[in-house]
Amino acid sequence: MIADTPYARMLGIASIASEPGTVGLMMPATTQLEGRQGFLYGGVIASLLELACLEAITQERDSDGPRPRPINISFDFLRGGLMVETFAQARLSRVGRHVVNADAICWQADRDRPIATGRMHLLLDQGRGR
């Protein structure tokens, strides 16, 4: 999914090896992603978390069908993201018949010092032509 998403390609996001049951992404720092001087723009960090959740769902469903539709998404920004490589890891916390819940964490040099976290709830396509 990441390779097919123009926004992810523009950000330079790539899949990386991750723990079993999770998805890992890496985003290089470029001057285009800078918000206030020396820090990543918060929207870019949020996008990395959202894309990690979507990638986790895509890998779980392993289908070419329509992507699930977001119900809601929330982010907690814990510290400023510096202009260095940034990583995100997502996992599905619940997969129901109609709704999927995903959690993600974002860090830079030290995974134990996250810069942001996110939660996403998505509605699965029910195949009823909605």
Side-chain angles (χ1 to χ4, degrees):
M1 190 255 342
I2 291 300
D4 297 334
T5 307
Y7 187 57
R9 286 195 314 262
M10 186 210 58
L11 294 175
I13 294 174
S15 294
I16 59 170
S18 189
E19 299 172 6
T22 66
V23 167
L25 300 179
M26 185 279 299
M27 180 180 67
T30 66
T31 56
Q32 298 165 326
L33 307 181
E34 189 173 34
R36 65 184 165 107
Q37 188 173 3
F39 292 89
L40 288 170
Y41 175 61
V44 171
I45 295 168
S47 294
L48 180 62
L49 288 164
E50 180 178 3
L51 288 166
C53 289
L54 290 170
E55 180 70 5
I57 293 165
T58 300
Q59 287 190 12
E60 170 75 19
R61 295 182 75 213
D62 195 30
S63 94
D64 294 327
R67 289 185 186 162
R69 294 179 292 199
I71 297 171
N72 66 1
I73 187 165
S74 64
F75 304 106
D76 295 318
F77 294 95
L78 307 173
R79 58 182 45 86
L82 301 173
M83 294 299 295
V84 297
E85 283 185 336
T86 305
F87 303 90
Q89 185 176 42
R91 69 177 180 87
L92 301 183
S93 54
R94 180 181 181 278
V95 180
R97 289 183 350 153
H98 303 288
V99 176
V100 174
N101 299 343
D103 301 313
I105 183 171
C106 183
W107 73 95
Q108 292 183 314
D110 183 356
R111 189 184 187 290
D112 293 329
R113 291 184 42 87
I115 62 171
T117 62
R119 287 156 308 289
M120 192 170 193
H121 305 115
L122 296 107
L123 180 65
L124 296 174
D125 178 48
Q126 301 304 307
R128 295 183 194 150
R130 291 184 196 183

